[in-house]
Each structure stands twice: as structure tokens, then as C-alpha cells.
Amino acid sequence: MESLEAERERATDLDVAELADAIEAIGFECTRCGACCKAVEGCESENGGDEDAGGDDEAADGHDHTATVFPDEVRQLQETGDYDWRDVARPMPYGLVEGEDGPQGETFEWALQTDDCGDCRFYAEDDGVGACTVHEDRPLVCRTYPFSVALGGTSQPMGEAVDEEGMVRAHECEGLGRDISRAEAEELAEALKERAIREIDEAIAVRDGYEPIEREPGEVVVHDSEGAKRPDGTNIE
């Protein structure tokens, strides 16, 4: 298995033009169906991306929407609406267990906050047409959907390979196969490369900075690239 440092070099060497070729070959246009922003078989949210929506309850059915968001992206989203940390992000659920008073344990990184139905809290819908209420400041994982890069140290790639090398993957999405301009493909490719580098940088920082934390019963600890944090985003000394 290659080291994260070696994988980072590979990510840095990614050719944006080649990534754009792969994206352009398959084609993509967002149809605003909202499938990538909603829970799997969740309940119908009356307000979509309502700012007062909660996020502590599980979706009625299926699995909550889970999208990785980096600490600096959380802060950027906080500034869009004077949000608290918990309004924007929740501890990544993987690694946590359900205790008497809710989730507990240690986990790594953050996920975008969800509403009571498990949909992304920044998702809004009007007559079946979806929209991101923080579109200009949306995280890299959202900017690059439905594509990913198959590199160690990055998010587990899903979907079918788009290029011959199997580097670029396309997740299932009804927007695939639609016309995309070269300029749009290159913009998406730039974001895809940036995401690949950022994910490995985060993984390296978490690895190098990880220290076991003595937790209180029922406590949640989140380890990110900046150290150990409480669910409200404050640092644990």
C-alpha cells in the first residue's frame, strides 16, 4: 500500500485536461432532482432547506444524507448565515454507537448537518425542483458530484470508471450523459483535483495529530485536521 505522501504526489500530478476529457466524454448536467442532497428513503420534508430545521434525529427510513465537510468549509458556511457550528456540521456517524443519551464514541471528520428527515439542511425544494441554499459556498464534495477520483487517501470511489485508467469514477446520477461544455468540464476537473489533494492533506493531518482522548460516558469526540473537537466544534485541550 502506498503512503499517503506518495498518494498526495499522485494527486498533485493529476492532469486537469485529462480529467476534463473523462468528464466531457460521459457528459453531465445537474437536473436539480435533489437525489444527492436527500436521505435514502427519508420522509418528505415540508421546508426542504429551512434554516430552523434540526439535525439530531434520524431520518424516518433509510440513511441520512452524509457528505464530508472540512473544518475551513464549515467556517465558510457559518459566515453565509451567521450559523453556529452545529447548524452546519455534525460528527461523521461512522465509528459512533448509540448510547442511552444519543451517539457516543470517537469519529473522524465532519458531515454536513441534516434536517429531521435526514436531508442536507441546506437543501430546499420547490415543486419538485431542488436547490442548494449555499450554492456558491458549497463544499468540494458537492462541487464535484457525481464524480470522484480513485486514489488511496481519498474518499472511497463509487460508481463506474469513466476513463480507461479507471481513475475517474461517476456515481449513479440522472444528470450523467448530458451535454457539458469544455469550460464546465475543466472547471469541474479543477475542483476534482483540488478535492483529491485536500482529502489526502486532511488524512495526513489527522494521522499525524491523532492522540487518544479520555472521553466521559456518552461523550462524542471528533478528530479532524485541526485536532480533537467536541460536537460543537470547540477544541479539546
Side-chain angles (χ1 to χ4, degrees), residues 115-183:
D115 64 17
D116 291 341
C117 289
D119 300 346
C120 175
R121 65 132 326 132
F122 297 110
Y123 175 72
E125 194 169 286
D126 184 16
D127 291 333
V129 178
C132 174
T133 59
V134 290
H135 189 265
E136 293 302 315
D137 297 294
R138 67 197 188 282
L140 279 167
V141 69
C142 303
R143 292 179 183 275
T144 53
Y145 193 87
F147 298 98
S148 62
V149 174
L151 281 174
T154 61
S155 293
Q156 182 65 31
M158 299 174 62
E160 299 295 327
V162 175
D163 56 346
E164 293 183 0
E165 294 76 19
M167 180 70 71
V168 181
R169 305 294 181 92
H171 304 232
E172 184 177 347
C173 176
E174 70 173 35
L176 292 173
R178 299 171 183 263
D179 290 339
I180 185 172
S181 70
R182 182 63 186 184

Side-chain angles (χ1 to χ4, degrees), residues 52-64:
D52 294 327
D56 295 328
D57 296 331
E58 294 182 357
D61 298 294
H63 303 284
D64 288 357

Side-chain angles (χ1 to χ4, degrees), residues 29-192:
E29 180 184 17
C30 178
T31 64
R32 298 177 66 181
C33 69
C36 59
C37 304
K38 296 189 289 187
V40 177
E41 298 181 355
C43 60
E44 291 295 328
S45 174
E46 295 182 359
N47 298 317
D50 189 302
E51 293 184 357
D52 294 327
D56 295 328
D57 296 331
E58 294 182 357
D61 298 294
H63 303 284
D64 288 357
H65 171 267
T66 306
T68 304
V69 57
F70 301 134
D72 64 310
E73 293 178 324
V74 176
R75 287 188 285 270
Q76 184 173 355
L77 287 170
Q78 281 185 272
E79 295 177 0
T80 65
D82 193 27
Y83 297 116
D84 289 334
W85 185 279
R86 285 178 183 264
D87 294 329
V88 176
R90 62 191 175 101
M92 189 64 72
Y94 311 123
L96 301 181
V97 296
E98 195 67 24
E100 292 182 2
D101 299 318
Q104 60 184 15
E106 286 186 305
T107 188
F108 297 90
E109 299 296 354
W110 303 88
L112 282 173
Q113 186 57 277
T114 54
D115 64 17
D116 291 341
C117 289
D119 300 346
C120 175
R121 65 132 326 132
F122 297 110
Y123 175 72
E125 194 169 286
D126 184 16
D127 291 333
V129 178
C132 174
T133 59
V134 290
H135 189 265
E136 293 302 315
D137 297 294
R138 67 197 188 282
L140 279 167
V141 69
C142 303
R143 292 179 183 275
T144 53
Y145 193 87
F147 298 98
S148 62
V149 174
L151 281 174
T154 61
S155 293
Q156 182 65 31
M158 299 174 62
E160 299 295 327
V162 175
D163 56 346
E164 293 183 0
E165 294 76 19
M167 180 70 71
V168 181
R169 305 294 181 92
H171 304 232
E172 184 177 347
C173 176
E174 70 173 35
L176 292 173
R178 299 171 183 263
D179 290 339
I180 185 172
S181 70
R182 182 63 186 184
E184 291 172 324
E186 289 178 348
E187 181 179 358
L188 210 165
E190 287 276 7
L192 199 56

